[in-house]
Amino acid sequence: MSNILELHSIHTFIGQFHILEGVSLSVAEGSITALLGRNGAGKTTTLKSIIGLRPPREGAVRFGGADIRGRRPYDIAALGIGYVPENRAVFRALTVEENLRIAERKKDDLAKRGDLIFGLFPDLKKFIKLSAGQLSGGQQQMLAIARSLVPENRLLLIDEPSEGLAPILIEQLMESIRSLSAHTTILLVEQNFRMASQLADYYYLIDDGKSVQNGAMKDLVNDRATVQRYLGAS
Amino acid sequence: MTWLNKNRNPLITALIILIALVLAFSGKSPQTTSSIILSGVTLAALYFLVASGVSLIFGLMDVLNFAHGSLFMFGAYAGWTFYTNPRLLFNTAPILLAVLAGLALSPILARFVALPRWARWLAVLFGIAMAIFALRDFPIDKLVAMGMSMTGKIIPTAEAQEPIATMLLRIGGMFIAGAVASAATATRSAERLEAPMSRTLGIVGGLVALALITLFVRDLGEQAILGTESNWRFLLALGVGAGTGAALGALMEWGLIRPLYARPIYQILLTLGLTFVFDQVVRFVWGPAGAFMEIPQWFNTSSQDCPSDNLLLWFSQHCDSIFVMGRPFPSYRLFIILVGAIMVLGIALLLQRTRFGMIIRAGVQDSEMVEALGINVRRVFTLVFAIGAGLAGLGGVVAAPFLGVYPGMAMEFLLQAFIVVVIGGLGSIPGAVVGALLVGLARAYGDHIVLAGIQLPWMTDAISGSPAIARASTVLIMAIVLFLKPTGIFGKKE
Amino acid sequence: MNQFIRNNLGYLLLLAALVILPYALALITGDPLNKGLPLFVQGLMIQVFILAVFALSYDILMGHTGILSFGHALFFGTGAYTLGILVKYGQWSIPAAIVAVVIIAALESFVIGVLSLRVHGVYFAMVTLAFATVAFILVEATDFKKWTGAEDGLHGIPVPDALNPALHRTEFYFLALAFAVMVYLLVKLFVDSPSGRVWAAIRENEARATSIGYNTLVFKVQATIISGIIGALAGVLNALWNLSATPQTMGVDTTINALLMCIIGGSGTIIGPMLGAGVLQLLGYLLNLWLGSVWQLVFGLIYILLVLFVPYGIIGTWRAKNFEWRAMWRDRLQRVATGTGKSSG
């Protein structure tokens, strides 16, 4: 099995603040890998470093074998990386359809992938002409994920999808993400450990901007001490 | 119901405006009313052309462009010069293109040259010296003076024109000056290194070729332009004004504003400095006095049938004015209104119906996310800056036959544009439309009142004033709107 | 006391040099104080002092509170015109007119501050520019020619002989110098006061200042009022010096000048803008001699280069360099003293 994404000890600064002090991870093709850690450990910054929004100053970011560190975000995204930011960052002033169309890299992307997208998220088809600001929180999250599916991305970076969602919606969301993984590789940042543990095959733990531990998810589930220590909850 | 709720503010405003209009015009004859309204809408069209760019640019990239009035002015001067004195353009454009070509070398220079700090300063000095040397004794005043004396006529002699060989030397000198300057400021950044060498060479080569072609066709080109009938020449001048504005805007964004996105305060400091520089350039090249631009034939014919009785008749007569409600109104001003209306429609279509517009609307909310979707946002920024600047440049040429060209027009229109966007809501295009109409109507009404004089019941004599009072009074509307709703009529909450 | 002198040695030396300057020049050239070079240099320096105060008032907003005003000339002009009109046409005494200037400037800045400081930061720049431009239009308007003199400006402000800058140049020189020193001390007092610390907090991060519990609007308006009053007082002195008030005092060029002085000298330092005023005034004088009317264009280009490449000004850059330089020497001396020879890096 090959790794689609590898980070080698990346260091990222925001202003003068040294946020990531050596994060390394690799994501196997076709897997769901969870990136775990406390609030402020640097999970979101890691995702932003990969996509190029917070370019790392040192280290290497390899995607499909090529070093992409220092390239511009649009360039990196065009290689086949979809980014789903936290807080459901859909474009509220645009309609649902426009939110999907804007992600097209070729003219017929949405036409080709429509069945897959609306199969996963039938609600979106219902509200296609509505402006995204009028959708509920859960629907906005679905839309944000759907948007990343419009072009054929080889890797999805999903940041805190369950944040602020009702439990019933989280169940639905997990179902959708699980079926997604048949089509693409996923790197998932998730605070909700129960959700992450049920979805992911592998995990990486970071703390204070450094990688501390990684392995198969099923091992971590049984390792109460580590979970307690780094995530503070079970 | 939700619709009512959502649009509460605009609706309330519309109601207030309606009441104000009824009150203002009650007791006035329909002729007076219609001519005030038409004058107001004429001004509104011009204000919109400036304000829409300010709003678009601020909405997308959070840069308040204080140089927008100057772009309007430069558009006006460029269009007017093209119309009356193309020789000036043909003899200066190659030199400017040469500097640009030199500056455009910077990605390549950054790859091979890394000067130490002291050498950078030395290079700057050398570049400046080179530029001064290359421009020495350039007969700019003669070239300009020609336009003042020989409006729109073909000049058979080579008056004020330097021989091609001299011009070539100047072009070469300026190219070197530009290249030295770009070597002085070149920094090695990952992004620059990535730019393919062939593209850079293509840009540089293209600019150099353009400079040389412009130089070699200067006589033919001038004759062709001056030989063109005034109407078509005017339409071409509109294009030149818009193009100049757009090119200047794109250059500004790319060369000056982009390096400062991390330091927002310095961006507006810079744009304010540019208004000053542009003002000085115009005074230096064209002199502090203004000039009038002739109204093209279509709107400038007088015969015994004139003024035309209605719009349909005007199409065959091309009179300088048309009867509207029994009172003649200059037909050129109707053209200004038409241009304004077309641009409102054009911007609306661009924003609502095209993919590019969709990207702009999305970028207004979150430009980082747009970039993460694989869209080159920087290019979008530059383009939007160019579009906004182009609208201002177009506005300048449209305004020139109506108001003339003069160095003060930059400040005047910047001021009105700011009042418009504050009233309408910074970043909102519908806001710019409503704000422009409000300010335009208020100005026209103010002009009318000020000329006719105000006589309130308890006064024995009417007070009359100068147009300056009307110009100044629009700021009161801005103060009222700021007091009631600081974010403007269409503005969103912070 | 010794400590005070040691800490402020540079400032005290500068002050002493400025006090001695007219006498030194008179001694060197052999001209009396009110003729030739001494007279001329005093005139030049009086303008520097006036502009230094104006620049300082501008920097209260830009450098200390982080508010950008593009219409600061409004206050300068307000001071000049109010004094001129009241003294010439109202037959007011100068002190009474100055009280009126303070009140009017305070009201103006209060209204502008309250109107425009509630929204996005750029509104202040935009609204101040609008108000200043409107004031410029109004003083140039023919409607008020009786009082403002329209485009020509208001000339021939009557002042008592003791204040006449032509008759008593050296006295006026010391008056302007004393004024500049006083304003310097006053601004230092403000900046070091609790309010000043809130200003700094607003400058660094307004959202955080709000979240700590400060009503930032109050403090921003306070800064605006103080800055407006000082700016207007500079305008008063300018009117007394020229015995006139012209539309240019209201013009956008005046604001740009203030901005430029702050940037050249270093915004956010108290002495920086004052030195900037000196540099700008002398440079302007020399460039004008050398280049004629093109100097304004050259000035604009210098401004743009400064904004792009030297954003921290003379003082800011010097302090940064000075800090590095001192650190380097301290490090070297320590190494010599401890005899380690090599630093640990």
Side-chain angles (χ1 to χ4, degrees), chain A residues 71-74 77 83 85 90-92 98 101-102 104, chain B residues 194 355 358 361-362 365 368-369 371-372 374-376 378:
Chain A
R71 287 167 78 162
R72 306 261 310 138
Y74 74 90
Y83 175 52
V90 294
F91 302 115
R92 290 186 299 274
E98 286 174 326
R101 287 234 175 262
I102 196 171
E104 284 183 328
Chain B
E194 244 177 65
R355 180 173 167 80
M358 194 163 83
R361 282 182 292 138
Q365 186 193 322
E368 275 199 347
M369 190 57 226
E371 174 140 28
I375 294 160
N376 188 348
R378 284 194 186 168

PDB file of all heavy atoms in Angstrom, chain A residues 71-74 77 83 85 90-92 98 101-102 104, chain B residues 194 355 358 361-362 365 368-369 371-372 374-376 378:
ATOM      1  N   ARG A  71       4.082  25.755  -2.694  1.00  0.00           N
ATOM      2  CA  ARG A  71       3.261  26.087  -3.863  1.00  0.00           C
ATOM      3  C   ARG A  71       1.992  26.766  -3.400  1.00  0.00           C
ATOM      4  O   ARG A  71       1.565  26.649  -2.270  1.00  0.00           O
ATOM      5  CB  ARG A  71       2.960  24.817  -4.654  1.00  0.00           C
ATOM      6  CG  ARG A  71       4.191  24.347  -5.396  1.00  0.00           C
ATOM      7  CD  ARG A  71       4.032  22.970  -5.933  1.00  0.00           C
ATOM      8  NE  ARG A  71       3.236  22.935  -7.155  1.00  0.00           N
ATOM      9  CZ  ARG A  71       3.254  21.898  -7.991  1.00  0.00           C
ATOM     10  NH1 ARG A  71       4.000  20.831  -7.720  1.00  0.00           N
ATOM     11  NH2 ARG A  71       2.530  21.890  -9.064  1.00  0.00           N
ATOM     12  N   ARG A  72       1.379  27.518  -4.302  1.00  0.00           N
ATOM     13  CA  ARG A  72       0.194  28.286  -3.938  1.00  0.00           C
ATOM     14  C   ARG A  72      -1.008  27.355  -3.770  1.00  0.00           C
ATOM     15  O   ARG A  72      -1.106  26.336  -4.450  1.00  0.00           O
ATOM     16  CB  ARG A  72      -0.101  29.330  -5.010  1.00  0.00           C
ATOM     17  CG  ARG A  72       1.072  30.216  -5.304  1.00  0.00           C
ATOM     18  CD  ARG A  72       0.991  31.533  -4.591  1.00  0.00           C
ATOM     19  NE  ARG A  72      -0.312  32.155  -4.810  1.00  0.00           N
ATOM     20  CZ  ARG A  72      -0.997  32.774  -3.844  1.00  0.00           C
ATOM     21  NH1 ARG A  72      -0.524  32.835  -2.634  1.00  0.00           N
ATOM     22  NH2 ARG A  72      -2.154  33.323  -4.111  1.00  0.00           N
ATOM     23  N   PRO A  73      -1.944  27.731  -2.857  1.00  0.00           N
ATOM     24  CA  PRO A  73      -3.065  26.851  -2.543  1.00  0.00           C
ATOM     25  C   PRO A  73      -3.861  26.403  -3.775  1.00  0.00           C
ATOM     26  O   PRO A  73      -4.244  25.230  -3.869  1.00  0.00           O
ATOM     27  CB  PRO A  73      -3.938  27.703  -1.626  1.00  0.00           C
ATOM     28  CG  PRO A  73      -3.021  28.678  -1.007  1.00  0.00           C
ATOM     29  CD  PRO A  73      -1.943  28.926  -2.005  1.00  0.00           C
ATOM     30  N   TYR A  74      -4.094  27.334  -4.714  1.00  0.00           N
ATOM     31  CA  TYR A  74      -4.913  26.937  -5.861  1.00  0.00           C
ATOM     32  C   TYR A  74      -4.220  25.863  -6.685  1.00  0.00           C
ATOM     33  O   TYR A  74      -4.832  24.972  -7.242  1.00  0.00           O
ATOM     34  CB  TYR A  74      -5.268  28.163  -6.716  1.00  0.00           C
ATOM     35  CG  TYR A  74      -4.130  28.713  -7.539  1.00  0.00           C
ATOM     36  CD1 TYR A  74      -3.898  28.262  -8.832  1.00  0.00           C
ATOM     37  CD2 TYR A  74      -3.272  29.690  -7.029  1.00  0.00           C
ATOM     38  CE1 TYR A  74      -2.861  28.756  -9.584  1.00  0.00           C
ATOM     39  CE2 TYR A  74      -2.237  30.195  -7.771  1.00  0.00           C
ATOM     40  CZ  TYR A  74      -2.026  29.736  -9.045  1.00  0.00           C
ATOM     41  OH  TYR A  74      -0.987  30.214  -9.795  1.00  0.00           O
ATOM     42  N   ALA A  77      -4.464  22.578  -4.679  1.00  0.00           N
ATOM     43  CA  ALA A  77      -5.819  22.025  -4.771  1.00  0.00           C
ATOM     44  C   ALA A  77      -6.037  21.373  -6.128  1.00  0.00           C
ATOM     45  O   ALA A  77      -6.646  20.297  -6.228  1.00  0.00           O
ATOM     46  CB  ALA A  77      -6.843  23.131  -4.537  1.00  0.00           C
ATOM     47  N   TYR A  83     -10.593  20.486   0.247  1.00  0.00           N
ATOM     48  CA  TYR A  83     -10.455  20.973   1.612  1.00  0.00           C
ATOM     49  C   TYR A  83     -11.836  21.351   2.139  1.00  0.00           C
ATOM     50  O   TYR A  83     -12.563  22.130   1.519  1.00  0.00           O
ATOM     51  CB  TYR A  83      -9.521  22.192   1.604  1.00  0.00           C
ATOM     52  CG  TYR A  83      -9.369  22.894   2.932  1.00  0.00           C
ATOM     53  CD1 TYR A  83      -9.035  22.189   4.089  1.00  0.00           C
ATOM     54  CD2 TYR A  83      -9.548  24.271   3.030  1.00  0.00           C
ATOM     55  CE1 TYR A  83      -8.891  22.850   5.297  1.00  0.00           C
ATOM     56  CE2 TYR A  83      -9.399  24.937   4.231  1.00  0.00           C
ATOM     57  CZ  TYR A  83      -9.069  24.224   5.368  1.00  0.00           C
ATOM     58  OH  TYR A  83      -8.928  24.873   6.564  1.00  0.00           O
ATOM     59  N   PRO A  85     -13.184  23.094   5.295  1.00  0.00           N
ATOM     60  CA  PRO A  85     -12.744  23.772   6.514  1.00  0.00           C
ATOM     61  C   PRO A  85     -13.733  23.628   7.659  1.00  0.00           C
ATOM     62  O   PRO A  85     -14.859  23.176   7.452  1.00  0.00           O
ATOM     63  CB  PRO A  85     -12.669  25.235   6.079  1.00  0.00           C
ATOM     64  CG  PRO A  85     -13.650  25.349   4.987  1.00  0.00           C
ATOM     65  CD  PRO A  85     -13.675  24.026   4.295  1.00  0.00           C
ATOM     66  N   VAL A  90     -19.357  27.449   3.959  1.00  0.00           N
ATOM     67  CA  VAL A  90     -19.968  27.501   2.629  1.00  0.00           C
ATOM     68  C   VAL A  90     -20.136  28.974   2.286  1.00  0.00           C
ATOM     69  O   VAL A  90     -20.076  29.838   3.154  1.00  0.00           O
ATOM     70  CB  VAL A  90     -21.341  26.801   2.602  1.00  0.00           C
ATOM     71  CG1 VAL A  90     -21.168  25.326   2.849  1.00  0.00           C
ATOM     72  CG2 VAL A  90     -22.293  27.416   3.593  1.00  0.00           C
ATOM     73  N   PHE A  91     -20.330  29.259   0.989  1.00  0.00           N
ATOM     74  CA  PHE A  91     -20.524  30.660   0.586  1.00  0.00           C
ATOM     75  C   PHE A  91     -21.989  30.996   0.764  1.00  0.00           C
ATOM     76  O   PHE A  91     -22.826  30.593  -0.039  1.00  0.00           O
ATOM     77  CB  PHE A  91     -20.052  30.857  -0.844  1.00  0.00           C
ATOM     78  CG  PHE A  91     -18.617  30.479  -1.034  1.00  0.00           C
ATOM     79  CD1 PHE A  91     -18.259  29.413  -1.845  1.00  0.00           C
ATOM     80  CD2 PHE A  91     -17.616  31.177  -0.371  1.00  0.00           C
ATOM     81  CE1 PHE A  91     -16.936  29.064  -2.003  1.00  0.00           C
ATOM     82  CE2 PHE A  91     -16.282  30.825  -0.528  1.00  0.00           C
ATOM     83  CZ  PHE A  91     -15.948  29.762  -1.337  1.00  0.00           C
ATOM     84  N   ARG A  92     -22.302  31.726   1.815  1.00  0.00           N
ATOM     85  CA  ARG A  92     -23.693  31.934   2.200  1.00  0.00           C
ATOM     86  C   ARG A  92     -24.486  32.726   1.171  1.00  0.00           C
ATOM     87  O   ARG A  92     -25.685  32.532   1.032  1.00  0.00           O
ATOM     88  CB  ARG A  92     -23.751  32.644   3.558  1.00  0.00           C
ATOM     89  CG  ARG A  92     -23.312  31.770   4.705  1.00  0.00           C
ATOM     90  CD  ARG A  92     -23.529  32.487   6.025  1.00  0.00           C
ATOM     91  NE  ARG A  92     -22.755  33.722   6.110  1.00  0.00           N
ATOM     92  CZ  ARG A  92     -21.488  33.771   6.520  1.00  0.00           C
ATOM     93  NH1 ARG A  92     -20.872  32.672   6.920  1.00  0.00           N
ATOM     94  NH2 ARG A  92     -20.843  34.908   6.565  1.00  0.00           N
ATOM     95  N   GLU A  98     -24.636  27.049  -6.951  1.00  0.00           N
ATOM     96  CA  GLU A  98     -23.425  27.835  -7.213  1.00  0.00           C
ATOM     97  C   GLU A  98     -22.272  27.386  -6.311  1.00  0.00           C
ATOM     98  O   GLU A  98     -21.117  27.367  -6.735  1.00  0.00           O
ATOM     99  CB  GLU A  98     -23.712  29.321  -6.994  1.00  0.00           C
ATOM    100  CG  GLU A  98     -24.549  29.943  -8.096  1.00  0.00           C
ATOM    101  CD  GLU A  98     -24.939  31.380  -7.801  1.00  0.00           C
ATOM    102  OE1 GLU A  98     -25.166  31.717  -6.612  1.00  0.00           O
ATOM    103  OE2 GLU A  98     -25.029  32.170  -8.746  1.00  0.00           O
ATOM    104  N   ARG A 101     -21.003  24.510  -8.151  1.00  0.00           N
ATOM    105  CA  ARG A 101     -20.406  24.858  -9.455  1.00  0.00           C
ATOM    106  C   ARG A 101     -19.046  25.537  -9.294  1.00  0.00           C
ATOM    107  O   ARG A 101     -18.156  25.373 -10.119  1.00  0.00           O
ATOM    108  CB  ARG A 101     -21.331  25.820 -10.214  1.00  0.00           C
ATOM    109  CG  ARG A 101     -22.573  25.185 -10.758  1.00  0.00           C
ATOM    110  CD  ARG A 101     -22.700  25.444 -12.268  1.00  0.00           C
ATOM    111  NE  ARG A 101     -23.845  24.705 -12.779  1.00  0.00           N
ATOM    112  CZ  ARG A 101     -23.740  23.529 -13.386  1.00  0.00           C
ATOM    113  NH1 ARG A 101     -22.543  22.994 -13.564  1.00  0.00           N
ATOM    114  NH2 ARG A 101     -24.809  22.892 -13.800  1.00  0.00           N
ATOM    115  N   ILE A 102     -18.908  26.337  -8.239  1.00  0.00           N
ATOM    116  CA  ILE A 102     -17.672  27.103  -8.097  1.00  0.00           C
ATOM    117  C   ILE A 102     -16.481  26.163  -7.890  1.00  0.00           C
ATOM    118  O   ILE A 102     -15.336  26.510  -8.167  1.00  0.00           O
ATOM    119  CB  ILE A 102     -17.782  28.118  -6.939  1.00  0.00           C
ATOM    120  CG1 ILE A 102     -16.669  29.162  -7.040  1.00  0.00           C
ATOM    121  CG2 ILE A 102     -17.740  27.443  -5.587  1.00  0.00           C
ATOM    122  CD1 ILE A 102     -16.834  30.305  -6.080  1.00  0.00           C
ATOM    123  N   GLU A 104     -16.056  23.450  -9.558  1.00  0.00           N
ATOM    124  CA  GLU A 104     -15.756  22.728 -10.805  1.00  0.00           C
ATOM    125  C   GLU A 104     -14.394  23.121 -11.343  1.00  0.00           C
ATOM    126  O   GLU A 104     -14.040  24.297 -11.359  1.00  0.00           O
ATOM    127  CB  GLU A 104     -16.803  23.077 -11.868  1.00  0.00           C
ATOM    128  CG  GLU A 104     -18.129  22.399 -11.675  1.00  0.00           C
ATOM    129  CD  GLU A 104     -19.091  22.725 -12.805  1.00  0.00           C
ATOM    130  OE1 GLU A 104     -18.992  23.839 -13.347  1.00  0.00           O
ATOM    131  OE2 GLU A 104     -19.923  21.870 -13.137  1.00  0.00           O
TER     132      GLU A 104
ATOM    133  N   GLU B 194       8.844  29.744  -9.436  1.00  0.00           N
ATOM    134  CA  GLU B 194       8.021  28.788 -10.145  1.00  0.00           C
ATOM    135  C   GLU B 194       7.550  29.283 -11.505  1.00  0.00           C
ATOM    136  O   GLU B 194       7.293  28.494 -12.395  1.00  0.00           O
ATOM    137  CB  GLU B 194       6.780  28.521  -9.314  1.00  0.00           C
ATOM    138  CG  GLU B 194       6.668  27.109  -8.844  1.00  0.00           C
ATOM    139  CD  GLU B 194       5.447  27.010  -7.974  1.00  0.00           C
ATOM    140  OE1 GLU B 194       4.353  27.210  -8.514  1.00  0.00           O
ATOM    141  OE2 GLU B 194       5.611  26.758  -6.788  1.00  0.00           O
ATOM    142  N   ARG B 355     -19.465  32.808 -14.253  1.00  0.00           N
ATOM    143  CA  ARG B 355     -18.654  32.093 -13.287  1.00  0.00           C
ATOM    144  C   ARG B 355     -17.707  33.064 -12.559  1.00  0.00           C
ATOM    145  O   ARG B 355     -17.499  32.966 -11.361  1.00  0.00           O
ATOM    146  CB  ARG B 355     -17.848  31.005 -14.002  1.00  0.00           C
ATOM    147  CG  ARG B 355     -16.964  30.212 -13.055  1.00  0.00           C
ATOM    148  CD  ARG B 355     -16.304  29.039 -13.749  1.00  0.00           C
ATOM    149  NE  ARG B 355     -15.241  28.520 -12.898  1.00  0.00           N
ATOM    150  CZ  ARG B 355     -15.447  27.712 -11.877  1.00  0.00           C
ATOM    151  NH1 ARG B 355     -16.656  27.303 -11.577  1.00  0.00           N
ATOM    152  NH2 ARG B 355     -14.440  27.303 -11.133  1.00  0.00           N
ATOM    153  N   MET B 358     -19.517  34.765  -9.929  1.00  0.00           N
ATOM    154  CA  MET B 358     -19.743  33.842  -8.815  1.00  0.00           C
ATOM    155  C   MET B 358     -18.502  33.793  -7.924  1.00  0.00           C
ATOM    156  O   MET B 358     -18.591  33.814  -6.691  1.00  0.00           O
ATOM    157  CB  MET B 358     -20.013  32.473  -9.422  1.00  0.00           C
ATOM    158  CG  MET B 358     -20.581  31.442  -8.521  1.00  0.00           C
ATOM    159  SD  MET B 358     -21.263  30.149  -9.566  1.00  0.00           S
ATOM    160  CE  MET B 358     -19.808  29.184  -9.914  1.00  0.00           C
ATOM    161  N   ARG B 361     -18.336  36.930  -5.860  1.00  0.00           N
ATOM    162  CA  ARG B 361     -19.276  36.941  -4.735  1.00  0.00           C
ATOM    163  C   ARG B 361     -18.803  35.999  -3.632  1.00  0.00           C
ATOM    164  O   ARG B 361     -18.959  36.286  -2.437  1.00  0.00           O
ATOM    165  CB  ARG B 361     -20.677  36.544  -5.206  1.00  0.00           C
ATOM    166  CG  ARG B 361     -21.408  37.692  -5.912  1.00  0.00           C
ATOM    167  CD  ARG B 361     -22.802  37.289  -6.314  1.00  0.00           C
ATOM    168  NE  ARG B 361     -22.796  36.283  -7.356  1.00  0.00           N
ATOM    169  CZ  ARG B 361     -23.597  35.226  -7.389  1.00  0.00           C
ATOM    170  NH1 ARG B 361     -24.468  35.027  -6.421  1.00  0.00           N
ATOM    171  NH2 ARG B 361     -23.510  34.365  -8.374  1.00  0.00           N
ATOM    172  N   ALA B 362     -18.238  34.874  -4.031  1.00  0.00           N
ATOM    173  CA  ALA B 362     -17.728  33.944  -3.021  1.00  0.00           C
ATOM    174  C   ALA B 362     -16.504  34.538  -2.328  1.00  0.00           C
ATOM    175  O   ALA B 362     -16.356  34.436  -1.111  1.00  0.00           O
ATOM    176  CB  ALA B 362     -17.378  32.612  -3.677  1.00  0.00           C
ATOM    177  N   GLN B 365     -16.886  36.855   0.637  1.00  0.00           N
ATOM    178  CA  GLN B 365     -17.054  36.240   1.950  1.00  0.00           C
ATOM    179  C   GLN B 365     -15.753  35.626   2.460  1.00  0.00           C
ATOM    180  O   GLN B 365     -15.387  35.802   3.608  1.00  0.00           O
ATOM    181  CB  GLN B 365     -18.154  35.174   1.889  1.00  0.00           C
ATOM    182  CG  GLN B 365     -18.474  34.610   3.259  1.00  0.00           C
ATOM    183  CD  GLN B 365     -19.310  33.348   3.163  1.00  0.00           C
ATOM    184  OE1 GLN B 365     -20.184  33.245   2.317  1.00  0.00           O
ATOM    185  NE2 GLN B 365     -19.018  32.379   4.013  1.00  0.00           N
ATOM    186  N   GLU B 368      -9.857  32.983   0.983  1.00  0.00           N
ATOM    187  CA  GLU B 368      -8.965  31.839   1.211  1.00  0.00           C
ATOM    188  C   GLU B 368      -9.634  30.547   0.765  1.00  0.00           C
ATOM    189  O   GLU B 368      -9.013  29.681   0.147  1.00  0.00           O
ATOM    190  CB  GLU B 368      -8.607  31.731   2.696  1.00  0.00           C
ATOM    191  CG  GLU B 368      -7.445  32.604   3.106  1.00  0.00           C
ATOM    192  CD  GLU B 368      -6.827  32.165   4.421  1.00  0.00           C
ATOM    193  OE1 GLU B 368      -7.439  31.339   5.139  1.00  0.00           O
ATOM    194  OE2 GLU B 368      -5.731  32.645   4.740  1.00  0.00           O
ATOM    195  N   MET B 369     -10.914  30.419   1.114  1.00  0.00           N
ATOM    196  CA  MET B 369     -11.623  29.191   0.744  1.00  0.00           C
ATOM    197  C   MET B 369     -11.729  29.075  -0.773  1.00  0.00           C
ATOM    198  O   MET B 369     -11.605  27.990  -1.328  1.00  0.00           O
ATOM    199  CB  MET B 369     -13.017  29.209   1.398  1.00  0.00           C
ATOM    200  CG  MET B 369     -13.764  27.896   1.286  1.00  0.00           C
ATOM    201  SD  MET B 369     -12.846  26.508   1.984  1.00  0.00           S
ATOM    202  CE  MET B 369     -13.057  25.296   0.670  1.00  0.00           C
ATOM    203  N   GLU B 371      -9.612  30.131  -2.889  1.00  0.00           N
ATOM    204  CA  GLU B 371      -8.312  29.692  -3.375  1.00  0.00           C
ATOM    205  C   GLU B 371      -8.113  28.197  -3.117  1.00  0.00           C
ATOM    206  O   GLU B 371      -7.570  27.476  -3.950  1.00  0.00           O
ATOM    207  CB  GLU B 371      -7.203  30.495  -2.694  1.00  0.00           C
ATOM    208  CG  GLU B 371      -5.821  30.002  -3.050  1.00  0.00           C
ATOM    209  CD  GLU B 371      -4.825  31.112  -3.257  1.00  0.00           C
ATOM    210  OE1 GLU B 371      -4.996  32.170  -2.660  1.00  0.00           O
ATOM    211  OE2 GLU B 371      -3.867  30.890  -4.029  1.00  0.00           O
ATOM    212  N   ALA B 372      -8.598  27.733  -1.953  1.00  0.00           N
ATOM    213  CA  ALA B 372      -8.433  26.316  -1.615  1.00  0.00           C
ATOM    214  C   ALA B 372      -9.259  25.419  -2.527  1.00  0.00           C
ATOM    215  O   ALA B 372      -9.085  24.196  -2.535  1.00  0.00           O
ATOM    216  CB  ALA B 372      -8.813  26.081  -0.158  1.00  0.00           C
ATOM    217  N   GLY B 374      -9.044  25.698  -5.660  1.00  0.00           N
ATOM    218  CA  GLY B 374      -8.260  25.551  -6.881  1.00  0.00           C
ATOM    219  C   GLY B 374      -8.365  26.747  -7.812  1.00  0.00           C
ATOM    220  O   GLY B 374      -8.088  26.638  -8.996  1.00  0.00           O
ATOM    221  N   ILE B 375      -8.812  27.884  -7.279  1.00  0.00           N
ATOM    222  CA  ILE B 375      -8.959  29.075  -8.124  1.00  0.00           C
ATOM    223  C   ILE B 375      -7.861  30.070  -7.772  1.00  0.00           C
ATOM    224  O   ILE B 375      -7.622  30.347  -6.603  1.00  0.00           O
ATOM    225  CB  ILE B 375     -10.352  29.712  -7.902  1.00  0.00           C
ATOM    226  CG1 ILE B 375     -11.425  28.759  -8.403  1.00  0.00           C
ATOM    227  CG2 ILE B 375     -10.449  31.054  -8.614  1.00  0.00           C
ATOM    228  CD1 ILE B 375     -12.790  29.010  -7.846  1.00  0.00           C
ATOM    229  N   ASN B 376      -7.209  30.588  -8.787  1.00  0.00           N
ATOM    230  CA  ASN B 376      -6.117  31.539  -8.558  1.00  0.00           C
ATOM    231  C   ASN B 376      -6.686  32.891  -8.162  1.00  0.00           C
ATOM    232  O   ASN B 376      -6.989  33.733  -8.994  1.00  0.00           O
ATOM    233  CB  ASN B 376      -5.282  31.661  -9.830  1.00  0.00           C
ATOM    234  CG  ASN B 376      -4.035  32.481  -9.600  1.00  0.00           C
ATOM    235  OD1 ASN B 376      -3.896  33.139  -8.571  1.00  0.00           O
ATOM    236  ND2 ASN B 376      -3.129  32.441 -10.554  1.00  0.00           N
ATOM    237  N   ARG B 378      -5.416  35.446  -6.659  1.00  0.00           N
ATOM    238  CA  ARG B 378      -4.640  36.659  -6.926  1.00  0.00           C
ATOM    239  C   ARG B 378      -4.939  37.216  -8.300  1.00  0.00           C
ATOM    240  O   ARG B 378      -5.017  38.417  -8.494  1.00  0.00           O
ATOM    241  CB  ARG B 378      -3.150  36.351  -6.825  1.00  0.00           C
ATOM    242  CG  ARG B 378      -2.744  36.234  -5.394  1.00  0.00           C
ATOM    243  CD  ARG B 378      -1.265  36.263  -5.288  1.00  0.00           C
ATOM    244  NE  ARG B 378      -0.887  36.010  -3.908  1.00  0.00           N
ATOM    245  CZ  ARG B 378       0.340  35.742  -3.534  1.00  0.00           C
ATOM    246  NH1 ARG B 378       1.297  35.693  -4.428  1.00  0.00           N
ATOM    247  NH2 ARG B 378       0.610  35.526  -2.274  1.00  0.00           N
TER     248      ARG B 378
END
